[in-house]
Amino acid sequence: YSGRIVDEQGKPLEGVTVEVSSHINESRTWLEQCQTHTQSDGTFVISGLPEQGRFVLVCQRKENDEPIVASELRDLQDKTPIVLPRAPVFCGRIVDAQTGEPIKSFTLENGYKACEGTPVDWRGSYSRRLGGDGRFRHKWHKQSVGFNLGLLCLVRVRAEGHLPAVLGPARLGQDPAPVIVRLKRDRD
């Protein structure tokens, strides 16, 4: 099987790890353990797969030392480029809603929704603690998501003594506008 991996603008992605995790053919499933990396033009070749059937393709790349992992069920005859979008970056300031003063210590947690109207999945949420002047620049990250460009990415903000707030949604491949998050005190 050969294919090509691109970003959301159609630019080829070099160095992406591509792995076939399972193959499905004639009601049988078996593990394949085939792995390779994309070339400078985004192309890859995986040998040893049958000519018919479907398989789960897992792609991973590093972006600023954070893995971007996605998987998709593909038909072996499908040669359309695989889009591996970049993660959105959330940025802005966290302030106290009452005083307008920056909140010096807060935690950002990632979540996602498959589409509008579905609940937010915070399971396995990646979080990081930030502080200082209330400013943040946070790349959304989730260990494994599908190649769903419609996926809605959210970030939950938590700070001691304040009610949490949720930022977003943003789609993979798109950055939301910078925001000022005004956290209400939990006793207000």
Side-chain angles (χ1 to χ4, degrees):
Y1 179 80
S2 62
R4 185 168 185 252
I5 299 182
V6 299
D7 68 11
E8 62 278 358
Q9 278 90 36
K11 296 178 185 168
L13 293 172
E14 180 179 10
V16 174
T17 302
V18 182
E19 177 181 318
V20 172
S21 65
S22 63
H23 177 262
I24 303 158
N25 190 5
E26 298 173 6
S27 302
R28 292 177 40 210
T29 301
W30 64 92
L31 194 61
E32 282 293 337
Q33 297 302 325
C34 301
Q35 186 180 63
T36 190
H37 294 86
T38 57
Q39 304 299 312
S40 61
D41 62 355
T43 60
F44 65 92
V45 175
I46 294 180
S47 302
L49 289 177
E51 291 184 22
Q52 299 293 320
R54 298 182 305 167
F55 62 96
V56 176
L57 186 69
V58 179
C59 301
Q60 177 174 333
R61 68 178 168 140
K62 287 242 181 193
E63 216 175 77
N64 298 327
D65 293 327
E66 294 179 10
I68 305 296
V69 182
S71 61
E72 178 180 83
L73 184 64
R74 299 279 287 191
D75 187 288
L76 282 165
Q77 306 307 313
D78 188 352
K79 300 297 182 187
T80 58
I82 298 161
V83 178
L84 185 57
R86 65 180 173 70
V89 176
F90 291 82
C91 61
R93 285 183 73 212
I94 312 293
V95 300
D96 183 284
Q98 185 177 356
T99 67
E101 293 294 316
I103 294 179
K104 298 193 188 267
S105 180
F106 53 90
T107 301
L108 302 175
E109 300 172 295
N110 295 323
Y112 69 93
K113 295 167 76 167
C115 61
E116 284 294 343
T118 60
V120 178
D121 185 347
W122 300 104
R123 290 175 298 158
S125 178
Y126 167 84
S127 66
R128 63 187 225 178
R129 190 139 185 93
L130 297 172
D133 65 357
R135 295 186 191 281
F136 68 95
R137 181 170 168 36
H138 177 73
K139 181 172 290 229
W140 185 88
H141 168 70
K142 202 71 172 164
Q143 280 297 327
S144 183
V145 297
F147 290 109
N148 178 1
L149 287 172
L151 187 79
L152 301 172
C153 309
L154 300 109
V155 174
R156 181 166 48 193
V157 181
R158 294 180 183 266
E160 189 174 331
H162 293 81
L163 297 172
V166 176
L167 307 179
R171 297 194 186 283
L172 292 173
Q174 299 173 346
D175 295 331
V179 295
I180 296 177
V181 181
R182 293 173 172 78
L183 293 183
K184 294 180 181 179
R185 295 182 186 173
D186 62 8
R187 61 183 177 277
D188 291 345

